[in-house]
Each structure stands twice: as C-alpha cells, then as structure tokens.
Amino acid sequence: CSPLVSSSTRAVLTLNDFSRGGDGGGPSECDGNYHDNSNPVVALSTGWYNHGSRCFKMIRITANNGRSVNAQVVDERDSVNGCDAEHSGQPPCRNNVVDGSQAVWDALGLNTDVGVEDVT
C-alpha cells in the first residue's frame, strides 16, 4: 500500500530512537540489533520495507529546506500491526513513513520537537 518509490516520492519523516529501551521498541528487523542514534538510520513503512528487500540499502532523504542526507535502512515501521509491547504500544503507522534517527534529523537541520516533517 505504500506509494511507488522514485527520486521524488513524498514521505513523512518521523523521529525514532533505535537504541535499546528507545521508543522504537524491539531490535531492528534487518539484523536483530539496536542502533546508535548518532548514525543516519531509518525504518520504512511496511510496503517500502518490502519483506526486508531494502535492508542495509541507502536511501536519500531531502527536506523542504533543500538539505539532504543518505541513510541506511535497518528496520520496518509497521503499517499493519501495533498497540502491543513489540511496538512500544504505538499504533500502526501510515504507509508513507520514513522513521529517522536523531542523526537524520540533525543532518537535515530539522527540529525534532516538531516530530513530523514532509520529505522526499
């Protein structure tokens, strides 16, 4: 159900804590590990995650301010399941979410207090 991927695919960037005990819930789907938020890593909505076919691939994220960053896909942001311990009680996400680490937000010069930003 996620939009087709191209160099101009619109998405919503959200903030995720990929560390142990962070709001990301369990370890990352791609490797079963937690990740340091100082690294530019992301989780993709279920359709974009595509059963792990994008694990460890780099994606380019561009903010409306013109800044871009390359980030590595390490996890799925579940668009189907949620509201349980595995998902830290969070509901399923929308089908166009790129859930980025603090490093992604910093590289894009975005305010994490806003929490949601339109990107391509």
Side-chain angles (χ1 to χ4, degrees):
C1 295
S2 295
L4 293 177
V5 176
S6 74
S7 62
S8 61
T9 301
R10 295 182 187 275
V12 175
L13 179 67
T14 56
L15 179 64
N16 189 24
D17 181 348
F18 290 86
S19 65
R20 182 181 301 274
D23 63 7
S28 295
E29 289 291 321
C30 290
D31 59 8
N33 294 317
Y34 294 94
H35 294 270
D36 190 319
N37 292 302
S38 65
N39 295 321
V41 294
V42 296
L44 299 178
S45 291
T46 299
W48 286 337
Y49 181 74
N50 193 23
H51 306 286
S53 70
R54 291 196 166 90
C55 280
F56 309 116
K57 297 205 172 146
M58 300 299 286
I59 65 168
R60 185 160 192 80
I61 304 164
T62 303
N64 288 337
N65 63 13
R67 293 177 70 171
S68 294
V69 64
N70 290 325
Q72 186 176 49
V73 176
V74 297
D75 204 0
E76 174 185 14
R77 180 66 170 105
D78 203 323
S79 304
V80 179
N81 303 298
C83 302
D84 55 15
E86 180 184 352
H87 299 92
S88 296
Q90 296 181 36
C93 75
R94 298 185 342 217
N95 65 2
N96 65 337
V97 171
V98 175
D99 211 12
S101 64
Q102 182 71 49
V104 170
W105 283 74
D106 291 346
L108 294 173
L110 300 174
N111 181 352
T112 56
D113 290 336
V114 174
V116 177
E117 290 281 349
D118 291 329
V119 296
T120 55

